[in-house]
Every structure is written in C-alpha cells, then in structure tokens.
Amino acid sequence: MTPPVPTPPRPGSPAPRVHHPLFARFYARVSVSADERGGLGALREELLSGLTGRVIEIGAGNGLNFARYPAGVTEVVAVEPEPRLRRLAEEAGRRAAVPVTVLPGMAEALPAEGGAFDAAVASLVLCTVRSVPEVLAELRRVLRPGGELRFFEHCVAGTPGLARVQRGLDRTVWPLLFGGCHTSRAPLAAIEEAGFTLVSYRAFDLPENGPRLPTSPCVLGVARR
Ligand SMILES: C[S@@+](CC[C@H](N)C(=O)[O-])C[C@H]1O[C@@H](n2cnc3c(N)ncnc32)[C@H](O)[C@@H]1O
C-alpha cells in the first residue's frame, strides 16, 4: 500500500480553508434521510458498482459512500476539508468493510502521488469546489492511465427557465446558504474539457417524481482517463 504523499502548499499562498459549521450540521442530517428516504442510497450503489483497486474520493462529506464500496476495492483515500464533516467521515470510515483513510485537504491540490489510483469518485462535490478545472486536472494526475472517474453530480438544467433561475441563485443566496454549492455548473462538459473520455452516463431528475428543484437535474456516470 503506497502511503499518500502530501502536496506542499503553493509558495506564498495561505492554506485554503473550508469551514461551514452550519452547513455541515445541516448536511449531516439531511444527507442521511435523503439516502434512506430520497433514493440517494440506491444512486450511490450505482455510482460505486464494480469498482476495484485503489480509489480516491474527493469531498467525501460525512462518508455516506464508504459503506457502499464493493469488496474489490482494496483502499479508499478520501479527502474532506470541512472539519465537522471530516470527523463524521472518519467515523464512517471505521465502520466500512473496505479500508478507508480520511485526509484533510482540497481537491484542487490532492495529497497523492501521480498515477496512484485505479479510480476516483466525485459525488455532489463539483458543485462546491473552488475550481472545477483544477480539480479535474488533479484527478487526471492521480489516476493511472485508463483509470475511471465515477461521478454523480447535479447540473445546469436543459430547460432555459430553470437554467435562468439556477444562474440567479448562484449569483446570490445559494452558495451562502449551502456551503458554497452552485446549481448551474456543467460537469459533463467540464469532464470532457479536462481530457477525460465519457464512457457512459445517464441524466435524470431528482426527485424523479416530484417538484423540480434547482438541484434536480443530475448526471451519473463513468469517464476514463
Ligand atoms: C454536498 S457535500 C457532498 C458530500 C459527499 N460527497 C456526498 O456525496 O454526500 C460537498 C462536500 O464537498 C466538500 N468540499 C467543499 N470544497 C471542497 C474542495 N475544494 N475540495 C474538496 N472537497 C470540498 C464539502 O466540505 C462537502 O463535504
């Protein structure tokens, strides 16, 4: 097992912080009930199905994916910058059936060597990171050639009305209320622009039969480095 190698901070730049105590409390509650009652648990199973080898997960939150990694996964290295969520992720990691190491850090500067992972997992996180291109470049760096990126993200709507609402929310209250989340990002285009090849994905609304929320349009799929 190769231990993760911390990436040194860029010279002269203060260490970036993610500290959202109110959002962290809120997310720790609603994410569990969304998994159990809102169908997210089944989507996490789909996201992680068939993974093998060493996996890096970015922005792991309270670690809800950990219990769902298949037995073929030999190690999960999870990066989570928010202190409260990271503590919950560490607890979830101890309960998981596969070995999980939770590290502090930002997905824009992953504490890992190049080519060290067979797969990377991003669930509900590209909406929140500071720089999607930097994060995807980091994921390409730490994945081996042919390694998989598994993603489950909410995204910009295909309908102009909701897309306009999403852009308005992103410029105003949404990131402030929801820990830096943006509703109008376009993860599929960003993944391709970063040089990944889309292998398969599906687009759907969450909830599938219910009110159409700013976070309803979702994509779940696989891209290859
Ligand atoms: C909506 S939560 C999703 C958590 C988890 N991935 C899940 O599927 O439930 C977004 C997570 O991204 C984390 N995050 C925010 N900025 C980040 C960054 N730059 N790098 C890595 N994680 C980040 C947050 O602390 C939070 O845990």
Side-chain angles (χ1 to χ4, degrees):
M1 186 173 86
T2 316
V5 177
T7 307
R10 292 185 186 95
S13 60
R17 285 180 76 228
V18 173
H19 185 54
H20 293 297
L22 288 179
F23 172 75
R25 278 170 197 267
F26 165 78
Y27 193 75
R29 272 169 184 259
V30 299
S31 59
V32 172
S33 74
D35 263 36
E36 288 165 5
R37 289 191 284 279
L40 260 85
L43 292 169
R44 292 183 192 280
E45 298 274 347
E46 182 180 340
L47 173 73
L48 306 174
S49 163
L51 280 176
T52 55
R54 296 193 79 217
V55 178
I56 186 159
E57 179 175 337
I58 57 165
N62 44 340
L64 287 179
N65 284 333
F66 297 166
R68 301 181 187 275
Y69 277 101
V73 169
T74 53
E75 188 193 7
V76 177
V77 174
V79 175
E80 172 50 54
E82 210 293 322
R84 174 179 282 267
L85 290 171
R86 188 169 60 248
R87 275 197 301 279
L88 294 170
E90 284 162 356
E91 287 168 22
R94 285 192 283 276
R95 293 192 300 270
V98 302
V100 178
T101 308
V102 181
L103 300 174
M106 304 285 283
E108 288 85 348
L110 289 171
E113 282 178 358
F117 293 94
D118 301 295
V121 170
S123 66
L124 306 174
V125 65
L126 293 179
C127 56
T128 300
V129 297
R130 290 179 190 178
S131 167
V132 174
E134 280 181 33
V135 168
L136 290 169
E138 271 296 84
L139 290 175
R140 263 182 71 77
R141 181 182 69 78
V142 301
L143 278 173
R144 66 164 170 78
E148 284 185 3
L149 168 60
R150 299 284 184 101
F151 56 91
F152 164 36
E153 297 288 341
H154 61 80
C155 60
V156 64
T159 46
L162 182 55
R164 204 163 35 245
V165 171
Q166 289 174 316
R167 286 193 294 273
L169 289 171
D170 286 358
R171 280 195 300 270
T172 54
V173 294
W174 199 271
L176 296 173
L177 289 175
F178 297 108
C181 174
H182 298 75
T183 62
S184 66
R185 290 188 175 171
L188 286 181
I191 287 168
E192 286 199 296
E193 276 159 26
F196 286 93
T197 304
L198 283 172
V199 176
S200 62
Y201 71 91
R202 68 186 185 94
F204 55 96
D205 270 3
L206 199 64
E208 268 164 313
N209 304 304
R212 200 148 194 250
L213 307 171
T215 52
S216 284
C218 289
V219 287
L220 186 155
V222 186
R224 199 173 293 287
R225 179 199 190 287

